[in-house]
Amino acid sequence: MLRRILALVLAVPAAFVVVVLTATSASADCQEIYNPETGQFELDCSDGGGDPGGGGEEPGGGSSTCNYNGREIPCTGPMGSVWSSVHECWIGPSAEEIGDKLEPPPGQTNEDGAWRMCFFPPPGSSWEYTWVQTGEVGIDPVVLANRAIASMDLDPIKIGIVPESAPNRAGLVGLPVWMWVDSPTDDTFGPITASASEGSVSVSATASVSSIVWDMGDGTKVNCTGKGTPYADHYGKQDSPTCGHRYAKMSTDQPEGAYQVTATSHWVVEWTGGGQSGTIEFDLTTNPLPIRIGEAQVLTQ
């Protein structure tokens, strides 16, 4: 099959012309750009500077990269095509979907497979029809990675903190506050591994918390790595060696007379499968926990 240039043959000026044919992947935006020096449309997959992570309260986003001749390329190409390491191109719509009527290869039927657009990576951005067996090009592995994450049933951490949160409990201005992950489990801190499959494609994902941002309710955010150190009475008035804070004023002017403390755990998921690999990142945040802070002379009156 002769390769075809990814555009109609048009008279164009000696400058790059962006064609409407675009595609977005989790790791880069791809555009077909005419290069007057080569006379071809070339696939530009440079990073557009967007947010590479999922963020928010639900898993999603992240990055997905595939390998071609020792270099990383996006796993998604023009027209929503998906990279195939077998064909070394992005497999896109079928000939029938774009209105071309082609006969199957000798010995094959339309039930056995289909002629599909095969987009080649730069340099050059030609394409040709290639015969793809039924079921050979499956689901995007990123979708399976997110399915694996969903099956983990991940939760925010359980907050461990001194002073404790209770109507008859209060800390003191200037004294250390200790924060930690209380009773960590696989689904609140990791690492935890799960897999998901569809057809011949299987993806394995491992998730773990890389850091926790503690919003102390007084305008301060404390970024801690690790689980933190649980407080014990023998520590006395020492600062936490791993994750702590000190309040500078009482909480009496706060809603309900307490600082509302939350902990946001940042999850990092490394996944691999379907000849691809990638990273998905997202946050899970606890419900606010009220912490009362007073002054010694007030508490002893």
Side-chain angles (χ1 to χ4, degrees), residues 39-106:
Q40 290 186 332
F41 285 86
E42 300 178 355
L43 191 64
D44 179 9
C45 296
S46 58
D47 189 351
D51 181 7
E57 295 298 318
E58 297 293 337
S63 62
S64 174
T65 57
C66 297
N67 294 313
Y68 172 68
N69 286 344
R71 60 188 175 91
E72 290 188 348
I73 60 172
C75 292
T76 305
M79 301 176 69
S81 56
V82 178
W83 179 255
S84 169
S85 57
V86 174
H87 296 282
E88 293 191 333
C89 64
W90 289 283
I91 301 297
S94 66
E96 184 178 3
E97 288 174 320
I98 62 174
D100 285 347
K101 302 294 184 180
L102 302 178
E103 293 296 323

Side-chain angles (χ1 to χ4, degrees), residues 24-158:
T24 301
S25 76
S27 59
D29 293 328
C30 297
Q31 293 180 323
E32 295 300 328
I33 299 178
Y34 180 77
N35 187 339
E37 296 181 359
T38 63
Q40 290 186 332
F41 285 86
E42 300 178 355
L43 191 64
D44 179 9
C45 296
S46 58
D47 189 351
D51 181 7
E57 295 298 318
E58 297 293 337
S63 62
S64 174
T65 57
C66 297
N67 294 313
Y68 172 68
N69 286 344
R71 60 188 175 91
E72 290 188 348
I73 60 172
C75 292
T76 305
M79 301 176 69
S81 56
V82 178
W83 179 255
S84 169
S85 57
V86 174
H87 296 282
E88 293 191 333
C89 64
W90 289 283
I91 301 297
S94 66
E96 184 178 3
E97 288 174 320
I98 62 174
D100 285 347
K101 302 294 184 180
L102 302 178
E103 293 296 323
Q108 299 285 318
T109 69
N110 289 328
E111 286 70 35
D112 298 323
W115 291 106
R116 304 184 71 94
M117 299 179 75
C118 181
F119 297 93
F120 297 97
S125 294
S126 56
W127 67 272
E128 67 183 24
Y129 283 125
T130 189
W131 182 258
V132 178
Q133 295 289 334
T134 299
E136 182 179 325
V137 178
I139 192 169
D140 188 338
V142 176
V143 175
L144 292 180
N146 279 290
R147 286 186 188 175
I149 295 171
S151 72
M152 297 175 186
D153 196 21
L154 303 177
D155 290 315
I157 67 163
K158 182 180 178 182

Side-chain angles (χ1 to χ4, degrees), residues 1-265:
M1 280 282 172
L2 293 176
R3 294 189 177 187
R4 309 185 185 189
I5 299 301
L6 288 175
L8 295 174
V9 178
L10 300 173
V12 294
F16 279 14
V17 178
V18 177
V19 180
V20 176
L21 189 61
T22 62
T24 301
S25 76
S27 59
D29 293 328
C30 297
Q31 293 180 323
E32 295 300 328
I33 299 178
Y34 180 77
N35 187 339
E37 296 181 359
T38 63
Q40 290 186 332
F41 285 86
E42 300 178 355
L43 191 64
D44 179 9
C45 296
S46 58
D47 189 351
D51 181 7
E57 295 298 318
E58 297 293 337
S63 62
S64 174
T65 57
C66 297
N67 294 313
Y68 172 68
N69 286 344
R71 60 188 175 91
E72 290 188 348
I73 60 172
C75 292
T76 305
M79 301 176 69
S81 56
V82 178
W83 179 255
S84 169
S85 57
V86 174
H87 296 282
E88 293 191 333
C89 64
W90 289 283
I91 301 297
S94 66
E96 184 178 3
E97 288 174 320
I98 62 174
D100 285 347
K101 302 294 184 180
L102 302 178
E103 293 296 323
Q108 299 285 318
T109 69
N110 289 328
E111 286 70 35
D112 298 323
W115 291 106
R116 304 184 71 94
M117 299 179 75
C118 181
F119 297 93
F120 297 97
S125 294
S126 56
W127 67 272
E128 67 183 24
Y129 283 125
T130 189
W131 182 258
V132 178
Q133 295 289 334
T134 299
E136 182 179 325
V137 178
I139 192 169
D140 188 338
V142 176
V143 175
L144 292 180
N146 279 290
R147 286 186 188 175
I149 295 171
S151 72
M152 297 175 186
D153 196 21
L154 303 177
D155 290 315
I157 67 163
K158 182 180 178 182
I159 290 179
I161 191 168
V162 165
E164 299 175 359
S165 176
N168 60 342
R169 300 280 184 164
L172 298 179
V173 170
L175 288 186
V177 176
W178 289 48
M179 300 93 73
W180 68 92
V181 179
D182 188 23
S183 303
T185 60
D186 290 349
D187 59 355
T188 61
F189 196 82
I192 181 172
T193 299
S195 60
S197 301
E198 183 168 312
S200 61
V201 181
S202 180
V203 168
S204 177
T206 298
S208 58
V209 173
S210 65
S211 63
I212 299 175
V213 176
W214 296 81
D215 188 330
M216 304 308 297
D218 63 346
T220 302
K221 293 185 178 181
V222 182
N223 194 335
C224 299
T225 57
K227 302 172 184 177
T229 305
Y231 181 80
D233 290 341
H234 67 267
Y235 288 122
K237 297 180 181 180
Q238 298 180 39
D239 286 318
S240 169
T242 52
C243 189
H245 179 60
R246 289 176 184 259
Y247 286 104
K249 65 178 184 177
M250 296 188 297
S251 61
T252 52
D253 62 344
Q254 299 295 311
E256 301 180 9
Y259 291 114
Q260 302 299 314
V261 176
T262 61
T264 299
S265 47

